[in-house]
């Protein structure tokens, strides 16, 4: 028997598939699939499964092409990508209002924009703001660094209206992915969106980057009166994989200036005719933002070189390198 479904839960390597009629069952990957490369089904993947007569477990025999995907560098590997979710409409970045980390937020924005999905920033635990002034100052700071298409929301588990606002970004039929460091309030938000206890809010132990297999599971959760949300606990390391577009979108202000530099390969360090440095000089753009941009561009470039080197090694023969995994 063959049928198709969506991966709704991923923990110990056996994806849980939900079919159109709501049935759920565990699957493993067909051997041919595993041998052929290292493509694995992730949360949100639409898959074709086969349940051979007498078999104890269904097999994934095909992963349909992805509309989009959330991808980062595998925290434990030099040249391997890790796809965390696929086929979603929105990325919600949960970031604590009173512990704003601009550098971290910029990185989250880059990876979120790289997916091509709509991006929303949720400033969580807004009830912990010292006062109205701090709240407004932080909000202004964040609005200043996000691009025009990105909405910034204030969220607190203590203020039901704020949760309703988040819910309005996840309409029926849509899928949102929730990212952010652990402890920022993601599980609390998911529970309120789901209208019941579905996630433990005890601190999640993250993969420390030493082991490839993170112990945390990812699941797609139904939002009451809305679509679905994918909570991704343990997403601490956000290494860039292939993020040129994400950087251009998250730093559209700098990227636009960079397009006016005299030299096409301008590094915006001390080159003559550098439009970026001129804007810094004129006080139009903070120097820290340009530094972030430069650092992320450099990281992306280094990652590209590692990836290409891994691909060269793989094509020279030898064991198929894991580094060959590509965006599809
Ligand atoms: P996660 O690791 O991102 O899923 O974060 P959790 O949802 O587990 O929250 C971590 C801690 O922050 C828990 O002790 C929550 O009770 C607390 N917390 C979550 N949301 C809020 C909020 O809006 N306001 C306050 N004051 N605390 C919150
Ligand atoms: Zn320049």
């Amino acid at each position: 028997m063959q049928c198709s479904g969506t991966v709704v839960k991923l923990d110990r390597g056996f994806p849980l598939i939900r079919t159109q009629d709501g049935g759920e069952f565990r699957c493993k990957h067909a051997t041919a699939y595993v041998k052929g490369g290292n493509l694995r089904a992730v949360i949100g993947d639409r898959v074709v499964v086969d349940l051979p007569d007498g078999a104890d477990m269904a097999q994934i025999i095909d992963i349909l092409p992805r509309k989009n995907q959330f991808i980062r560098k595998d925290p434990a590997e030099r040249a391997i990508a890790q796809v965390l979710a696929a086929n979603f409409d929105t990325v919600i970045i949960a970031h604590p209002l009173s512990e704003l980390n601009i550098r971290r937020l910029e990185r989250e924005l880059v990876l979120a924009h790289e997916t091509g999905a709509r991006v929303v920033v949720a400033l969580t635990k807004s009830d912990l703001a010292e006062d109205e002034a701090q709240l407004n100052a932080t909000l202004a700071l964040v609005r200043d660094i996000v691009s025009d298409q990105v909405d910034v929301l204030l969220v607190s588990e203590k203020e039901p209206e704020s949760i309703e606002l988040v819910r309005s970004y996840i309409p029926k039929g849509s899928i949102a992915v929730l990212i952010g460091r652990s402890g920022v309030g993601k599980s609390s938000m998911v529970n309120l969106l789901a209208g019941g206890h579905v996630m433990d809010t005890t601190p999640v132990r993250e993969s420390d980057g030493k082991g490839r297999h993170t112990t945390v599971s990812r699941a797609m959760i139904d939002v009451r009166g809305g679509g679905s949300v994918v909570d991704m606990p343990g997403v601490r390391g956000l290494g860039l994989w292939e993020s040129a577009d994400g950087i251009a979108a998250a730093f559209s202000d700098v990227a636009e200036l960079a397009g006016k530099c005299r030299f096409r390969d301008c590094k915006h360090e001390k080159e003559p005719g550098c439009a970026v440095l001129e804007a810094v000089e004129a006080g139009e753009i903070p120097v820290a933002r340009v530094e972030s941009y430069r650092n992320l561009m450099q990281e992306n470039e280094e990652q590209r070189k590692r990836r290409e080197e891994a691909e060269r090694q793989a094509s020279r023969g030898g064991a198929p390198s894991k580094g060959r995994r590509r965006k599809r």
Side-chain angles (χ1 to χ4, degrees):
M1 185 204 70
Q2 271 192 17
C3 66
S4 60
T6 304
V7 178
V8 293
K9 189 168 175 144
L10 209 58
D11 34 31
R12 277 167 297 273
F14 296 111
L16 183 72
I17 308 296
R18 186 185 296 162
T19 57
Q20 193 104 65
D21 56 22
E24 287 187 355
F25 48 86
R26 295 262 167 199
C27 294
K28 57 186 178 189
H29 290 84
T31 328
Y33 227 91
V34 176
K35 268 192 194 152
N38 29 65
L39 189 61
R40 295 283 181 284
V42 300
I43 282 276
D45 261 328
R46 284 186 273 275
V47 296
V48 180
V49 296
D50 183 32
L51 187 59
D53 285 338
D56 57 338
M57 206 188 253
Q59 284 191 343
I60 295 174
I61 55 172
D62 198 12
I63 300 172
L64 302 187
R66 291 169 183 156
K67 167 170 101 176
N68 61 357
Q69 55 186 0
F70 192 99
I71 189 165
R72 67 167 171 178
K73 185 183 93 64
D74 188 318
E77 301 280 346
R78 275 170 63 82
I80 296 185
Q82 193 180 47
V83 181
L84 297 175
N87 303 322
F88 46 88
D89 307 281
T90 307
V91 178
I92 301 176
I93 300 172
H95 204 100
L97 178 108
S98 43
E99 285 166 59
L100 182 67
N101 178 338
I102 294 277
R103 302 287 92 81
R104 161 91 194 185
L105 180 57
E106 284 167 337
R107 181 176 289 277
E108 290 168 336
L109 285 163
V110 166
L111 288 184
H113 277 297
E114 182 67 31
T115 69
R118 174 176 198 178
V119 179
V120 178
V121 175
L123 294 175
T124 57
K125 306 192 190 181
S126 61
D127 55 290
L128 296 183
E130 278 164 31
D131 51 28
E132 199 70 13
Q134 193 214 9
L135 192 130
N136 289 330
T138 309
L139 196 54
L141 207 58
V142 173
R143 289 222 164 103
D144 206 39
I145 70 157
V146 303
S147 57
D148 295 343
Q149 301 81 5
V150 175
D151 287 350
V152 183
L153 321 177
L154 295 175
V155 179
S156 164
E157 64 174 0
K158 303 194 166 68
E159 285 154 34
E161 325 82 76
S162 72
I163 301 298
E164 292 320 302
L165 186 57
V166 176
R167 197 191 306 279
S168 70
Y169 283 85
I170 318 171
K172 270 204 168 65
S174 73
I175 298 174
V177 161
L178 189 54
I179 66 160
R181 272 175 311 164
S182 84
V184 301
K186 297 187 301 299
S187 309
S188 310
M189 209 194 300
V190 168
N191 287 338
L192 289 164
L193 290 168
H197 182 93
V198 290
M199 306 290 300
D200 283 336
T201 52
T202 41
V204 188
R205 229 198 106 90
E206 298 188 343
S207 158
D208 54 12
K210 283 187 185 134
R212 272 198 66 204
H213 303 283
T214 136
T215 51
V216 289
S217 68
R218 312 189 200 293
M220 199 183 292
I221 288 139
D222 292 337
V223 172
R224 203 174 53 188
S228 313
V229 63
V230 178
D231 183 20
M232 297 205 289
V235 177
R236 179 168 49 189
L238 286 180
L240 304 185
W241 176 247
E242 192 174 20
S243 303
D245 294 344
I247 295 172
F251 287 84
S252 53
D253 49 350
V254 186
E256 195 180 310
L257 288 165
K260 296 182 191 144
C261 295
R262 185 179 306 162
F263 302 110
R264 272 202 63 188
D265 61 349
C266 186
K267 296 270 183 287
H268 327 299
E269 274 160 4
K270 50 180 187 300
E271 291 87 342
C274 173
V276 175
L277 293 181
E278 280 164 16
V280 169
E281 201 74 357
E284 288 160 12
I285 196 160
V287 67
R289 182 153 173 85
V290 173
E291 274 166 15
S292 287
Y293 173 82
R294 268 201 309 247
N295 291 341
L296 289 162
M297 288 287 276
Q298 192 183 344
E299 179 181 330
N300 194 50
E301 181 62 16
E302 281 163 11
Q303 195 53 45
R304 186 180 61 77
K305 286 186 190 142
R306 285 196 204 112
R307 192 167 55 236
E308 285 173 1
E309 175 57 25
E311 278 168 12
R312 263 196 304 279
Q313 278 181 8
S315 66
R316 255 185 242 132
S321 159
K322 293 169 177 170
R324 240 168 46 188
R325 180 194 285 191
R326 249 172 304 210
K327 240 178 133 169
R328 40 178 261 173

